[in-house]
């Protein structure tokens, strides 16, 4: 675990395989992952491969309790702590932050 | 800091802590519980600030009769922790000075942190983990079920 303060949870969208592990392990059910399947043909491969493509990743920070379980369980290091604390909102719905906002909080490229 | 650990029978719970207090372990660090299935484990950690020593004491209680004498007479700070363990795990602390629920409004209903307690709100709420991208294009696999809800409580409707 990094020494970073527990501010928010940032997403590395390119590393996320939409595997749903974090969604299922999150104790407060506050993560949403939407994805669709695509066929990719690789040179030399006999058949096209089916991959999940991430459409939307959202965390409801009105429910999140900052336990860090999602970060720990992600097999692809697609989630990380970020020191930002500017995710407050005047409305309940505004606490749901999705892909673009979550990935903007990343500390490293 | 040196750390000691011991598991004691329920009958020895109070006298163990009385002995630790006279040995200088005057600071209660934590008191909590873990549901082990057939047993509820209650554990408390005390510190001897002078010798920088830490002692963790644990006791296993049968799940159908989880009772324990209070140690709030030795450590006033144990009072809140015991109230929390009482309402969350259903452990009865005999001789507790103030057995009101600490966080919940009532002690009615099943203790929420026992693994056998059904998390009723989860029955009503759609589970975000139901989607199964792994099996996309491969035919359905075993249906994923939300943790904390018995399968027979779930309707077969869309979730
Ligand atoms: S930190 Fe915990 S509560 Fe928040 S999204 Fe991750 S697993 Fe869920
Ligand atoms: S566990 Fe990691 S890779 Fe899987 S969906 Fe969550 S963030 Fe993406």
């Amino acid at each position: 675990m990094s020494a970073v303060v527990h501010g928010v949870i940032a997403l590395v969208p390119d590393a996320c395989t939409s595997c749903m592990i974090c969604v299922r392990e999150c104790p407060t059910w506050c993560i949403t992952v939407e994805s669709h399947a695509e066929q990719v043909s690789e040179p030399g491969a006999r058949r096209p491969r089916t991959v999940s493509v991430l459409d939307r990743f959202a965390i409801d920070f009105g429910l999140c309790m900052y336990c860090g379980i999602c970060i720990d369980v992600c097999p692809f290091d697609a989630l990380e702590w970020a020191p930002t604390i500017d995710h407050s909102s005047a409305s309940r719905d505004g606490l749901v932050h999705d892909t673009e906002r979550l990935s903007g909080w990343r500390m490293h490229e | 800091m040196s750390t000691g650990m011991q598991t004691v029978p329920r009958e020895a719970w109070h006298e163990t802590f009385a002995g630790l207090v006279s040995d200088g372990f005057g600071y209660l660090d934590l008191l909590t519980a873990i549901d082990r299935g057939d047993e509820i484990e209650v554990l408390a950690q005390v510190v001897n600030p002078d010798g920088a020593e830490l002692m963790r004491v644990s006791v296993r209680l049968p799940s159908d009769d989880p009772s324990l004498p209070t140690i709030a007479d030795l450590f006033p700070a144990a009072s809140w922790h015991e109230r929390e363990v009482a309402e969350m795990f259903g452990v009865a602390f005999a001789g507790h000075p103030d057995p009101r629920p600490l966080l919940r409004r009532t002690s009615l209903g099943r203790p929420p942190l026992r693994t056998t307690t059904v998390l009723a709100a989860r029955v009503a709420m759609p589970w975000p983990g139901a989607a199964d991208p792994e099996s996309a294009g491969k035919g359905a696999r075993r249906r994923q079920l939300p943790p904390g809800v018995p399968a027979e409580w779930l309707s077969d409707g869309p979730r």
Side-chain angles (χ1 to χ4, degrees), chain A residues 11-12 15-23 31 33 54 57 70 73-79:
Chain A
L11 172 76
V12 187
C16 175
T17 64
S18 337
C19 70
M20 304 291 287
I21 289 176
C22 58
V23 179
I31 306 178
V33 168
L54 183 67
F57 191 107
C70 53
V73 297
C74 174
F76 306 99
D77 291 340
L79 295 168

